[in-house]
Amino acid sequence: MKLGVNIDHVAVLREARRVNDPDILNALYVACQNGADQITIHLREDRRHIQDADAYSIMKHSALPVNLECSINKSILNIVTDLKPHRATLVPEKREEVTTEGGLDVFTYEDEISYAIELLHDYIIPVSLFIDPSIEAVEKSKELGAEMVELHTGSFANIFAMLNSSLSHSNHSIKELDLPRHELSIRLEKSIAAISEAAKHAKKIGLEVAAGHGLNYHNVSHMMSIAEITELNIGQSIVAKSVFSGLAQAVKEMKRLTTR
Ligand code: PXP
């Protein structure tokens, strides 16, 4: 399995203070040196984390292939064709959303998506489409000319978290999933089956298959058991864990500097 490490969240922390710390290139080097197979970044229209300059310097310095996520907005696509990443992953984007909610609507926006794919192909950039796990969306992705699909695992991850973590007792509990445990278990099985069937169908019709969104240290094993998925793109949980694997050392270091 290929691991794409999404380093956007390091830039989220930097942008929260509008400084140059943490340095995104340090995140790139650490990911490259510790087993990542690919670097994933999302150049959002609102530039809430990765900036254009980050994307250019990551392209210049990355020792690993770069998977650039982007919307089908024409001005963003123009930057992507100039950046020439190893792959572009087309994702839906709404300014007000906290993160990418739901997959690309490959039916409503088929003309725009097909234009984007043709444009990217003109620049020899392979294209993946970030879609909800359904056979219909997989078939449409193939018809539109994509080489790959990334199956959106957000719904699976939400059900998993409501069933197996303290999320349902927190301020971020998901109202639509405030359901009896047996109902959540049934939905979890169904969501895994939908991902598995979509992955099998995608492979059968000649598409490469990735998956991502909301994957973490507890739920990732379910994706590992789907043989057709050959790549996972993971960001939030890796950056969240790194706070705790590094916080003790960071406090110790500052204590040393502030001890007379
Ligand atoms: N894949 C895609 C297409 C995404 O949009 C995202 C979120 O930017 C991810 C993977 C990573 O999701 P997470 O940060 O929840 O691991």
Side-chain angles (χ1 to χ4, degrees), residues 231-252:
E231 175 184 309
L232 298 175
N233 288 298
I234 307 180
Q236 155 84 24
S237 63
I238 294 176
V239 175
K241 192 174 187 70
S242 73
V243 171
F244 297 110
S245 47
L247 190 58
Q249 188 54 41
V251 173
K252 279 184 197 149

Side-chain angles (χ1 to χ4, degrees), residues 6 8-9 40 42 69 89 91 99-100 130 150 211-215 233-237:
N6 183 320
D8 294 346
H9 291 284
T40 294
H42 184 174
E69 299 171 2
T89 298
V91 302
T99 181
T100 316
F130 188 41
E150 178 170 339
H213 203 94
L215 298 178
N233 288 298
I234 307 180
Q236 155 84 24
S237 63

Side-chain angles (χ1 to χ4, degrees), residues 90-92 100-106 129-133 150 152:
L90 299 179
V91 302
T100 316
E101 290 158 9
L104 260 185
D105 183 344
V106 283
L129 301 183
F130 188 41
I131 55 168
D132 289 324
E150 178 170 339
H152 197 310

Side-chain angles (χ1 to χ4, degrees), residues 25 28 39 41 52-68 79-80 82-87:
L25 285 185
L28 170 73
I39 298 299
I41 52 171
D52 298 32
D54 295 326
Y56 280 96
S57 62
I58 288 166
M59 282 311 305
K60 187 168 173 197
H61 295 287
S62 180
L64 293 173
V66 176
N67 170 35
L68 183 62
I79 299 172
V80 177
D82 191 48
L83 281 163
K84 296 195 183 57
H86 301 78
R87 182 201 306 138

Side-chain angles (χ1 to χ4, degrees), residues 72 104-106 109-117 129 144:
I72 50 176
L104 260 185
D105 183 344
V106 283
Y109 299 106
E110 77 173 285
D111 292 344
E112 292 86 344
I113 294 168
S114 144
Y115 167 85
I117 294 176
L129 301 183
L144 291 173

